[in-house]
Amino acid sequence: MRYISTRGGAPELSFEEAMMTGLARDGGLYVPAEIPRLAPDEIAGFAGLSYEETAFRVMRPFIGDAFDDANFRDLIARAYASFGHDARAPLKQLDKTHFLLELFHGPTLAFKDFAMQLIGQMFEASLARSGRRVTIVGATSGDTGSAAIEAFAGRERVDVFIMYPDGRVSDVQRRQMTTPTAANVHALAVAGDFDDCQARLKEMFADGDFRDEVSLAAVNSINWARVLAQVVYYFTSAVALGAPHRPVSFCVPTGNFGDIFAGFVAKEMGLPIDRLVIATNHNDILDRTMRSGAYRKRGVTPSISPSMDIEVSSNFERALFWAHGKDGAAVAGLMKDLRETGGFAVSDNAMTDLAAHYDSGMADEAATSATIAATLKTRAELVCPHTAIGIHVGDAHAAKAPEVTMITLATAHPAKFPDAVEAATGIRPPLPPRMADLFERPERFEQVENDLATLEAVIRERRSV
Ligand SMILES: *Cc1c(COP(=O)(O)O)cnc(C)c1O
């Protein structure tokens, strides 16, 4: 399996190389040259298997010879052993045709753990084999950072630096990043928003000298291995509800488009997915794009769903690549327009292709709070604000297509966003027992200017080799 860049100007890589590299040198994102298809009876055969065995069968065709079968099974088993639920990704029924897929039973209580825990295992195995070290730098809107820190803390051969927007993450999110004690973990509070952090990260990757000097690696959702790990729960949930014999739709609270793009990959692999519904908060650039055909920035406004306060939705580039018939030059042109003019127009052909897979909807702050309250009242579920956005948009879509089962992704545990949940319901969701003392642990972080040279200097200085 070869991996190619969405901008068509970087060398083809193996799975392992693409995983260790993150962003391609032409600024693009790595994607598999071909998405392997599973036959309906192979998919039907997933029924009754463990999460881990399904994960092995779904991901195996993508990894080439990176790991042999026994080794890969072992890495998967280790990745999910720390999850607080045997099913790993259990389903809950909201009503007759609407289900919630709970993705928050991992160590940091958000879906990011599914990919990050596995990446932690795969990085360690790969680095041990090659004898290399890497410096992982990540930008986070809140949940990726803690998931990465949890996955890499204390691992040999790795330093991990996480840039988060100072003052724009929840207290729980911040403490999950600033309280781990491992010396290889560095939390950087950047004076800016998430898009600033992500822009600095992309600049570091474009700075070839720095990139080589520190052996830069990325575990943001631009990393293909993360998208791949997220493909698995589309299969486990759809099969539990009757696939491949019955189609399902998914509604996905979306920011950087990684999670929902994993759904697209599942569909391309042969999983019968009717619609992939993009759910955004009031930072609704993706919903606006689906409605208007124009992707245009207008500034990010903080919300009670901070993990979706994003305007440069990195993985949307992967969707655009498919919508343009894998024409890397066309995608490179759009990304140049985005950089230079703050937006781009999607061609009619590409819009038709996107509309064949994706629907979209938005929940503003009032709708988000109202959905948190209503979900508790009528469905007896306490949900996080991101999940509430999914439920709001998923309900609206399900009303239009009542014959298809809708699965909404519950992306985080409500206790990660206690203020928003309490404001909506009067109930302050408690942290699970294993992290009940989070607010007593001492914090350790460094405030850094939103400036490339300064950030690079801090990373050079603090890394352990
Ligand atoms: C990261 C995140 C999202 C958005 O996921 P993307 O893959 O960036 O679209 C939604 N909800 C929560 C809780 C998250 O942490």
Side-chain angles (χ1 to χ4, degrees):
M1 170 82 55
R2 303 300 295 170
Y3 286 82
I4 57 176
S5 164
T6 49
R7 299 194 193 171
E12 290 190 9
L13 299 180
S14 69
F15 172 80
E16 189 173 5
E17 290 164 336
M19 174 176 80
M20 302 308 293
T21 302
L23 198 66
R25 282 186 188 256
D26 61 359
L29 282 64
Y30 275 106
V31 290
E34 301 290 341
I35 292 181
R37 272 191 90 80
L38 300 178
D41 60 332
E42 281 178 274
I43 297 172
F46 296 168
L49 297 182
S50 65
Y51 186 89
E52 284 81 353
E53 181 59 23
T54 308
F56 172 80
R57 295 190 191 186
V58 169
M59 293 189 285
R60 181 74 193 81
F62 289 91
I63 69 163
D65 58 5
F67 307 103
D68 67 34
D69 287 359
N71 193 352
F72 192 42
R73 278 203 167 89
D74 181 51
L75 298 177
I76 293 169
R78 286 167 194 260
Y80 300 116
S82 64
F83 276 50
H85 197 294
D86 283 346
R88 311 311 183 210
L91 282 162
K92 278 236 176 99
Q93 189 157 17
L94 289 177
D95 60 35
K96 195 156 156 272
T97 58
H98 195 170
F99 289 77
L100 214 48
L101 178 59
E102 292 186 350
L103 301 175
F104 51 69
H105 295 285
T108 69
L109 309 181
F111 79 86
K112 307 289 198 297
D113 288 324
F114 276 89
M116 213 60 89
Q117 285 294 318
L118 182 63
I119 280 213
Q121 298 294 338
M122 293 194 295
F123 260 66
E124 188 168 71
S126 172
L127 291 171
R129 202 157 55 193
S130 66
R132 287 180 58 212
R133 294 189 54 87
V134 290
T135 303
I136 291 172
V137 183
T140 185
S141 57
D143 295 327
T144 295
S146 53
I149 285 170
E150 196 64 41
F152 288 99
R155 288 196 192 280
E156 283 176 41
R157 305 174 184 284
V158 174
D159 275 292
V160 55
F161 291 84
I162 297 297
M163 301 184 280
Y164 65 90
D166 200 2
R168 298 211 195 192
V169 299
S170 81
D171 289 348
V172 174
Q173 289 179 314
R174 189 191 68 249
R175 285 181 163 273
Q176 285 182 332
M177 294 188 277
T178 59
T179 60
T181 53
N184 69 333
V185 162
H186 315 268
L188 305 179
V190 176
D193 62 20
F194 170 70
D195 285 328
D196 291 321
C197 295
Q198 185 161 256
R200 298 300 82 75
L201 179 66
K202 287 182 181 170
E203 288 162 12
M204 283 178 204
F205 270 88
D207 178 350
D209 292 341
F210 179 74
R211 182 175 177 153
D212 294 339
E213 179 190 339
V214 304
S215 294
L216 199 58
V219 295
N220 265 67
S221 61
I222 52 179
N223 192 307
W224 167 257
R226 275 192 55 193
V227 174
L228 177 60
Q230 293 169 188
V231 175
V232 175
Y233 46 71
Y234 285 89
F235 276 94
T236 59
S237 58
V239 168
L241 295 176
H245 312 297
R246 291 169 56 204
V248 296
S249 291
F250 285 92
C251 183
V252 188
T254 308
N256 229 344
F257 216 80
D259 210 5
I260 192 164
F261 187 74
F264 173 79
V265 175
K267 185 174 180 182
E268 290 289 297
M269 289 179 76
L271 189 65
I273 296 176
D274 183 37
R275 308 297 295 164
L276 290 161
V277 185
I278 300 163
T280 76
N281 65 21
H282 61 206
N283 296 301
D284 60 350
I285 191 164
L286 291 164
D287 184 39
R288 293 201 311 273
T289 303
M290 291 305 294
R291 289 171 198 281
S292 69
Y295 189 104
R296 197 142 301 281
K297 291 205 285 181
R298 64 178 187 202
V300 170
T301 311
S303 77
I304 57 171
S305 47
S307 305
M308 293 156 61
D309 288 345
I310 291 175
E311 213 178 32
V312 181
S313 183
S314 295
N315 283 288
F316 192 54
E317 179 167 342
R318 289 188 161 115
L320 290 167
F321 183 66
W322 258 267
H324 285 83
K326 303 189 186 171
D327 179 350
V331 173
L334 299 181
M335 294 302 130
K336 183 160 176 281
D337 288 350
L338 179 62
R339 257 191 334 273
E340 291 173 359
T341 71
F344 55 82
V346 185
S347 69
D348 289 349
N349 275 348
M351 276 315 297
T352 304
D353 190 85
L354 288 171
H357 303 289
Y358 302 101
D359 281 311
S360 69
M362 183 271 268
D364 62 16
E365 297 288 271
T368 307
S369 294
T371 305
I372 297 173
T375 305
L376 181 63
K377 195 155 171 237
T378 64
R379 291 157 158 177
E381 286 292 331
L382 201 54
V383 296
C384 93
H386 310 77
T387 304
I389 289 166
I391 293 172
H392 174 84
V393 174
D395 275 340
H397 189 279
K400 285 187 282 176
E403 71 289 354
V404 183
T405 297
M406 172 63 75
I407 302 172
T408 291
L409 274 48
T411 50
H413 191 287
K416 245 186 143 162
F417 304 93
D419 295 339
V421 174
E422 186 175 17
T425 62
I427 295 173
R428 196 163 180 86
L431 284 164
R434 65 182 187 278
M435 49 188 82
D437 67 341
L438 187 65
F439 281 80
E440 279 116 62
R441 298 178 200 162
E443 292 190 74
R444 188 168 57 90
F445 60 93
E446 198 164 338
Q447 284 173 307
V448 190
E449 275 171 69
N450 173 24
D451 172 69
L452 179 65
T454 311
L455 283 159
E456 289 185 348
V458 167
I459 291 169
R460 275 200 191 91
E461 220 161 276
R462 301 281 180 272
R463 76 196 182 97
S464 49
V465 167

